[in-house]
Amino acid sequence: MTSLRFCMVTTFYPPYNFGGDGIGVQRLARAVAKAGHEVTVIHDVDAYGALTDHRPEAEPELDGIEVVSLRSDLGIVSALLTQQTGRPVVNRKRIRRLFEQGRFDVINFHNVSLVGGPGILAEGDAVKVYTAHEHWLVCPTHVLWRHKRELCTGRECLRCSLHYRRPPQLWRHTGYLDRQLAHVDAFIAKSRFSREKHMEFGFSRDMEVMPYFLPERAASDAAPGGPSPHPRPFFLFVGRLEAIKGLQDVIPAFGEYRDADLLIAGDGEYADALRALAEGIDRVRFLGRVAPGELRRYYEHALALIVPSICYETFGIILIEAFREGTPVVARRIGPFPEILETCPAGALFSNSEELLSALRGLQSDAETRDTLGRVAREGFEKHWSEEAVLPQYFDIVRRAAERAGKRGVAAALAQEPELSREHIS
């Protein structure tokens, strides 16, 4: 196999990240490196610092991965200039120099909103791929959650940006974004649903569909995690505590549902409001942040994972995390969740409190069905969302992009990667 040089460009990268997109980039970078390629990650610490005062310690990376952290003396001003102009105003020269010195074969842009905006897409001479972890290409606030209160069904971008207390991006009302997108050879959506939303909101380029994946656990971590961490039967929520995650619709249900507890793993700006809502309901327990190793025991012993998001997610990493542990899910009938449960029918969907309660009762009262769903979940994870299932899809997307771009050497090198089963291509 011929080793290639990949560059991952992203605003956020662990430990300088907030959500699943940075972790997804890290997983991809590590998988590509394990496949024998060299990987450079470029991310923006100023952008992270613009949103939090927390200063995490840098983490060691795998051999074959170099992490370049962009910093400037301007701090938040650097991120603001990029947000307003759509260009890497402060870091353009350094990014250009990194691209020139790196001689990359493939540049994969991820969330570039504050690391360079659309202007960064013109930089570099390589096969260029853009992965849409959010809906930033069609939404200034990234999430299609209009005015911080409702699903977006039509553009009101200027007023909506002001509701988010973000300066409007005037460049979005010109042809600038489209001109920059012309430099990209392939676009990746994380679900069919997200691809359709991009099209609905005017995105005119073709998009491949490639889901997130999770690595298999190391052999040393393959054994079950031990006894249940909670004395009563329980359902589990894992995620950031924000209004768009929908827990405010689930907590009241446990005022009525008395046969199991609701354990909430996570923290966030909406935590106080949720604690107030749960006051007097002793079956709702807030765990705060739970370390990944400890979280596994909660997944293993949960009756199901509840995923009640009320916004348009691009995928649903939390669902496949549950599937990896053989845990069924109960998810809101919205966004990509029906698509995931259609691919792997290891749970139930709900649209209202009655359907939610019915799903909870059904899973708790029928242990045989629950065990069957757990096996379906685990098998579905291995087939559709394991690293071994998804990484060949990635290399195939890049290979075909290289062929379209006339980069025959890159295409030939990627043709040596393991064959991709056609059933995985959406």
Side-chain angles (χ1 to χ4, degrees):
M1 181 193 74
T2 302
S3 177
L4 298 176
R5 293 181 60 81
F6 283 73
C7 182
M8 306 287 172
V9 182
T10 176
T11 295
F12 304 115
Y13 190 78
Y16 301 96
N17 73 294
F18 300 97
D21 62 331
I23 295 172
V25 176
Q26 185 180 60
R27 287 171 176 152
L28 178 61
R30 290 177 173 180
V32 170
K34 284 191 293 183
H37 303 287
E38 298 178 49
V39 181
T40 297
V41 178
I42 300 174
H43 72 106
D44 196 302
V45 176
D46 287 341
Y48 177 82
L51 300 173
T52 181
D53 294 328
H54 180 241
R55 294 294 179 266
E57 293 185 11
E59 301 175 347
E61 263 298 354
L62 298 181
D63 291 342
I65 298 180
E66 177 189 11
V67 178
V68 178
S69 302
L70 299 177
R71 291 179 172 88
S72 74
D73 294 334
L74 296 178
I76 189 174
V77 175
S78 173
L80 180 61
L81 286 170
T82 297
Q83 192 266 354
Q84 280 292 280
T85 66
R87 295 168 171 84
V89 176
V90 174
N91 290 313
R92 181 187 296 276
K93 288 184 179 178
R94 188 178 180 196
I95 291 169
R96 186 169 291 171
R97 186 166 62 251
L98 287 167
F99 283 173
E100 290 173 352
Q101 293 174 348
R103 303 188 307 278
F104 299 114
D105 300 295
V106 179
I107 299 175
N108 194 159
F109 299 103
H110 297 274
N111 172 7
V112 298
S113 59
L114 297 181
V115 73
I120 201 173
L121 303 179
E123 302 295 338
D125 179 20
V127 180
K128 296 182 183 180
V129 178
Y130 186 100
T131 302
H133 297 271
E134 300 176 307
H135 290 112
W136 175 79
L137 290 171
V138 295
C139 174
T141 67
H142 301 226
V143 291
L144 294 175
W145 184 244
R146 192 169 55 192
H147 308 314
K148 299 187 78 171
R149 67 170 183 259
E150 62 192 10
L151 294 171
C152 185
T153 56
R155 293 183 180 277
E156 298 177 9
C157 298
L158 289 175
R159 284 202 302 127
C160 187
S161 293
L162 294 175
H163 274 100
Y164 278 84
R165 298 184 178 180
R166 297 179 184 177
Q169 296 172 313
L170 298 183
W171 54 261
R172 285 186 178 270
H173 304 276
T174 71
Y176 175 64
L177 177 59
D178 285 337
R179 292 194 298 273
Q180 300 310 108
L181 295 177
H183 295 284
V184 179
D185 301 304
F187 293 86
I188 297 175
K190 304 312 292 182
S191 62
R192 295 193 304 273
F193 170 84
S194 182
R195 178 174 63 186
E196 291 163 4
K197 276 296 165 190
H198 277 84
M199 294 172 60
E200 178 184 330
F201 280 85
F203 187 74
S204 60
R205 303 292 298 273
D206 291 337
M207 299 187 86
E208 307 272 1
V209 175
M210 186 193 84
Y212 284 102
F213 65 84
L214 301 177
E216 282 287 356
R217 295 193 176 278
S220 60
D221 193 31
S228 176
H230 190 70
R232 277 172 44 85
F234 66 90
F235 292 91
L236 181 65
F237 170 90
V238 178
R240 300 191 309 276
L241 302 190
E242 301 176 350
I244 59 176
K245 296 301 182 180
L247 262 177
Q248 62 271 26
D249 295 337
V250 176
I251 288 173
F254 280 82
E256 177 179 344
Y257 192 81
R258 300 178 178 276
D259 296 330
D261 294 346
L262 171 64
L263 303 189
I264 299 171
D267 203 354
E269 60 184 18
Y270 202 50
D272 290 344
L274 293 173
R275 290 179 187 274
L277 182 63
E279 192 170 344
I281 307 176
D282 59 6
R283 289 174 296 283
V284 177
R285 306 291 178 88
F286 290 84
L287 305 176
R289 298 179 188 274
V290 179
E294 181 67 14
L295 189 59
R296 184 185 180 192
R297 287 204 299 141
Y298 286 95
Y299 275 123
E300 288 178 345
H301 294 280
L303 295 167
L305 177 76
I306 301 178
V307 188
S309 293
I310 56 178
C311 67
Y312 292 137
E313 307 272 6
T314 58
F315 184 65
I317 295 177
I318 203 70
L319 279 76
I320 64 173
E321 287 183 355
F323 289 168
R324 182 174 64 175
E325 307 303 340
T327 304
V329 300
V330 177
R332 195 182 295 270
R333 190 179 284 105
I334 191 173
F337 303 156
E339 176 183 332
I340 292 172
L341 283 173
E342 176 185 342
T343 301
C344 176
L349 296 167
F350 71 93
S351 299
N352 51 49
S353 58
E354 290 77 16
E355 290 182 349
L356 172 62
L357 288 168
S358 176
L360 301 184
R361 292 190 184 100
L363 281 167
Q364 186 167 7
S365 64
D366 191 341
E368 184 176 351
T369 294
R370 190 172 66 251
D371 290 345
T372 298
L373 292 178
R375 289 193 295 273
V376 171
R378 177 62 197 179
E379 292 168 359
F381 165 75
E382 292 175 350
K383 182 177 181 181
H384 300 288
W385 301 293
S386 65
E387 183 176 314
E388 290 75 12
V390 177
L391 190 61
Q393 298 179 50
Y394 176 70
F395 287 138
D396 190 64
I397 290 170
V398 177
R399 178 188 59 77
R400 288 184 281 115
E403 290 175 346
R404 291 192 297 271
K407 305 283 189 180
R408 294 188 179 87
V410 176
L414 291 171
Q416 301 172 33
E417 293 290 345
E419 282 293 317
L420 172 64
S421 171
R422 304 309 298 178
E423 68 180 290
H424 290 310
I425 299 178
S426 298

